[in-house]
Amino acid sequence: MGQISYDFTDETVIVTGATSGIGRAVARRFGDAGATVIVADIREEPKEKAESAPTAELIEDGGGRATFVETDVSSPTEIVSVIEAAREFGGVDVMVNNAGIYRHASLLETDVESFDQVFGINVRGVFAGCRAAARDMLSREDPGSIINTASISSEYAQTGHAMYDASKGAVMMLTRVAALELASHDIRVNAVAPGIIETTFGSGNPEPERHVDDQFIHDEMEIPEVSGRERDPVIPMGRMGSPEEMAGSYLFLAADDASYVTGHLLYADGGYQIV
Ligand code: NAD
């Protein structure tokens, strides 16, 4: 089968959550395609021992240009700082808002701190990334492309996924509204919706800080078993996806090949959403 080869020479691409997993594969693919890549993550060292070198180092070792900027996407100020860092390389051309976390709990068991943490990273992070990148592109009069990482969870509910599915539904709608508002400025906004991908997703996330005492009510309560339908993950292609299999969708949406594509949710899920 053929492979598309992209050329992002002279383009600056920010990828959040690019130290591990999907973001790392996306960053590397942009690096291979000649882009200057800014790896924006809370940690520089990958979670996986097997993922030896930091992403920026790997890209540079392969002859590309990359730098790491420590960034917590839940902080809009830190997002603005990473956008400013891109100005050193001519300004952001492609913004990939990919960082995200997962927490498992039924609605009845979900505590407010965990909910706020998931929304702080998965939703506020994407909102702040879209806003900061678009403001910067407009101020430089140099429109580009924004790509968010949504999920099959954007449209498919599962028990235990109250926080996560709601956050990814929000990412889908943020993508659509941003696409609508920015279309006349030639800024395209799209999302990739990965299926079940082999990463260390869900592990190694920091615990949320506890401020609100809703745990008290929680402890006093008898929490009934959740009786909803646990959807078995049916993947028509019969296997999980790899981070590398996600990367091409991001490059396509960023490239001129997708010049008339905006507000789109591109599933890369082995057919999960069909059944
Ligand atoms: P991962 O845990 O391997 O990578 C996530 C990266 O985000 C890590 O490098 C982590 O350090 C970083 N990160 C976490 N919190 C951050 C913060 N506050 N600021 C900046 N960086 C932060 O996970 P992944 O599977 O590669 O997930 C990447 C994205 O893909 C997420 O948005 C996730 O919701 C989405 N997704 C994953 C799957 C899957 O099955 N793995 C499926 C659908 C969607």
Side-chain angles (χ1 to χ4, degrees), residues 30 50 60 95 119 229 248 253 269 274:
F30 272 114
E60 296 233 302
M95 179 75 188
F119 266 65
R229 176 174 57 99
L253 289 170
D269 67 347
I274 305 166

Side-chain angles (χ1 to χ4, degrees), residues 14 29 75 93 103 138 145 151 167 170 172 180-181 190 197 201 218 227 229 231 234 242 266-267:
I14 297 174
R29 190 83 188 271
S75 158
D93 297 296
R103 286 200 176 276
L138 290 174
S145 173
S151 171
S167 76
M172 178 180 70
L180 195 59
E181 292 187 357
N190 291 289
I197 311 307
F201 192 50
H218 189 142
S227 58
R229 176 174 57 99
R231 180 184 159 136
V234 177
S242 71
L266 174 52
Y267 280 101

Side-chain angles (χ1 to χ4, degrees), residues 148-155 191-197 246 249-250 253 264-270 273:
N148 301 323
T149 299
S151 171
I152 42 177
S153 289
S154 296
E155 295 191 284
V192 176
I196 300 170
I197 311 307
M246 299 300 102
S249 296
Y250 290 80
L253 289 170
H264 187 65
L265 187 69
L266 174 52
Y267 280 101
D269 67 347
Q273 102 287 166

Side-chain angles (χ1 to χ4, degrees), residues 38-116:
I38 299 183
V39 173
D41 203 298
I42 41 169
R43 59 168 77 84
E44 187 170 13
E45 294 297 325
K47 283 196 275 181
E48 279 267 29
K49 287 269 182 297
E51 293 176 332
S52 48
T55 307
E57 216 174 286
L58 272 185
I59 294 170
E60 296 233 302
D61 287 352
R65 272 180 101 193
T67 186
F68 171 76
V69 177
E70 189 177 328
T71 313
D72 180 348
V73 298
S74 68
S75 158
T77 321
E78 292 191 23
I79 296 257
V80 169
S81 300
V82 77
I83 297 279
E84 280 169 3
R87 287 212 171 197
E88 202 183 311
F89 308 101
V92 60
D93 297 296
V94 179
M95 179 75 188
V96 180
N97 296 303
N98 165 76
I101 62 164
Y102 175 78
R103 286 200 176 276
H104 189 93
S106 72
L107 176 70
L108 296 175
E109 290 173 313
T110 296
D111 59 87
V112 169
E113 293 82 3
S114 296
F115 182 89
D116 285 348

